[in-house]
C-alpha cells in the first residue's frame, strides 16, 4: 500500500512539472547546431562502401544553398547584456528583432540566388543593388544593410533599433562592417 502512495505522489509531481513546463515555454527556443545537410547518420565503413557502390555515376548534383540565419538569443545571454545597453528592450522584443533580421536576410538572398532572367524589374534592381553592396570583405558571407531591413520587414530603423544591433553585436550574433557610405551587418 505504501509503494502505491509513493508512486501516486511521484506521478502527481511529474504531472505538475509537465503543466509548469507547458505553461512556461519561452517564445524563442534556441536552435541546436545541425550538420550541413541535416540528415547525416553515422555508419560503419562497410555500409559506406555499399552506399557508394549503389549510387549511379552520372547523377547531376543540384546546389541547393541554404540561407544562414541568426540564432535566437537565449535567456542567459540576454541576462549577461549590461543594463545600460538593454535600456527598456525586453527579451521578446530582442528576439523579434532577430526574427525580422532573419526574414530580411532570407528575402535578400532568395533574390540573389534566383536567376536574373526569371526576375521582374523590381527584383532586378534589388539584385543589382545587392551586388553593388558586396565587397571583397563580404564575399561568401551573409549580410544586410538598413535598406534591406526597411525593404523586407516592418521594423523601423531608428535609435532603438541601433541599440538592438549593439546588443546583438555584444552577443556575437553579428558584426558591423562600414565602407562606401554603407554599414553592413554581417551574420556570424
Amino acid at each position: 500500500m505504501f509503494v502505491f502512495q509513493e508512486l501516486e505522489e511521484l506521478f502527481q509531481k511529474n504531472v505538475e512539472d509537465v503543466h509548469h513546463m507547458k505553461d512556461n515555454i519561452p517564445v524563442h527556443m534556441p536552435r541546436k547546431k545541425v550538420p550541413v545537410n541535416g540528415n547525416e547518420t553515422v555508419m560503419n565503413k562497410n555500409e559506406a562502401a555499399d552506399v557508394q557502390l549503389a549510387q549511379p555515376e552520372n547523377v547531376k548534383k543540384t546546389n541547393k544553398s541554404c540561407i544562414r540565419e541568426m540564432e535566437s538569443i537565449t535567456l542567459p545571454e540576454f541576462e549577461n547584456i549590461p543594463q545600460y545597453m538593454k535600456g527598456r528592450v525586453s527579451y521578446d522584443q530582442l528576439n523579434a528583432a532577430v526574427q525580422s533580421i532573419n526574414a530580411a536576410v532570407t528575402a535578400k538572398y532568395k533574390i540573389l540566388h534566383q536567376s536574373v532572367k526569371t526576375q521582374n524589374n523590381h527584383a532586378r534592381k534589388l539584385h543589382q543593388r545587392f551586388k553593388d553592396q558586396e565587397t571583397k570583405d563580404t564575399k561568401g558571407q551573409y549580410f544586410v544593410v538598413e535598406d534591406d531591413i526597411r525593404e523586407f520587414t516592418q521594423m523601423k530603423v531608428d535609435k532603438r533599433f541601433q541599440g538592438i544591433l549593439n546588443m546583438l553585436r555584444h552577443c556575437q550574433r553579428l558584426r558591423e562592417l562600414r565602407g562606401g557610405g554603407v554599414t553592413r551587418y554581417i551574420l556570424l
Side-chain angles (χ1 to χ4, degrees):
M1 194 69 158
F2 183 69
V3 175
F4 289 124
Q5 279 182 328
E6 281 184 28
L7 283 174
E8 188 175 346
E9 289 172 6
L10 272 170
F11 181 72
Q12 190 63 32
K13 182 166 178 3
N14 285 343
V15 168
E16 289 172 11
D17 288 345
V18 167
H19 284 294
H20 175 75
M21 285 189 276
K22 181 181 162 196
D23 295 338
N24 295 303
I25 293 177
V27 177
H28 303 282
M29 295 292 288
R31 295 181 186 168
K32 204 188 274 188
K33 299 226 184 221
V34 182
V36 176
N37 64 0
N39 57 4
E40 293 179 0
T41 56
V42 179
M43 57 178 81
N44 61 30
K45 292 178 184 176
N46 294 337
E47 290 175 348
D50 292 340
V51 170
Q52 286 177 350
L53 292 175
Q55 293 177 348
E57 292 180 25
N58 298 348
V59 174
K60 184 178 179 183
K61 294 183 179 179
T62 58
N63 186 11
K64 287 188 178 180
S65 55
C66 73
I67 297 170
R68 183 175 183 180
E69 290 187 343
M70 191 184 321
E71 292 182 12
S72 297
I73 302 294
T74 61
L75 204 52
E77 284 177 316
F78 182 74
E79 290 167 356
N80 285 336
I81 298 173
Q83 184 60 43
Y84 76 88
M85 201 180 281
K86 279 193 259 193
R88 295 183 180 203
V89 176
S90 70
Y91 174 71
D92 292 332
Q93 290 170 331
L94 183 61
N95 277 320
V98 167
Q99 296 306 318
S100 294
I101 292 170
N102 284 340
V105 169
T106 303
K108 175 180 180 172
Y109 284 93
K110 206 175 269 188
I111 290 173
L112 274 173
H113 292 313
Q114 190 178 5
S115 171
V116 180
K117 292 179 180 178
T118 61
Q119 295 174 348
N120 61 21
N121 199 22
H122 179 67
R124 278 193 193 115
K125 287 179 184 175
L126 288 174
H127 188 273
Q128 188 58 46
R129 186 182 88 195
F130 300 153
K131 286 295 188 185
D132 292 342
Q133 290 170 350
E134 275 190 5
T135 64
K136 62 181 175 73
D137 297 330
T138 60
K139 206 71 171 170
Q141 296 182 350
Y142 291 100
F143 71 93
V144 289
V145 297
E146 290 179 2
D147 289 340
D148 300 337
I149 293 167
R150 282 190 199 98
E151 176 87 27
F152 298 116
T153 67
Q154 300 295 320
M155 287 188 70
K156 293 183 211 165
V157 181
D158 54 1
K159 192 169 185 171
R160 184 173 164 272
F161 181 70
Q162 294 300 325
I164 289 173
L165 291 175
N166 285 337
M167 287 186 268
L168 293 173
R169 275 203 329 260
H170 178 79
C171 293
Q172 298 178 351
R173 290 296 194 275
L174 55 84
R175 171 169 73 91
E176 207 173 273
L177 182 68
R178 296 169 187 241
V182 179
T183 304
R184 297 160 186 84
Y185 301 103
I186 302 172
L187 276 62
L188 298 176

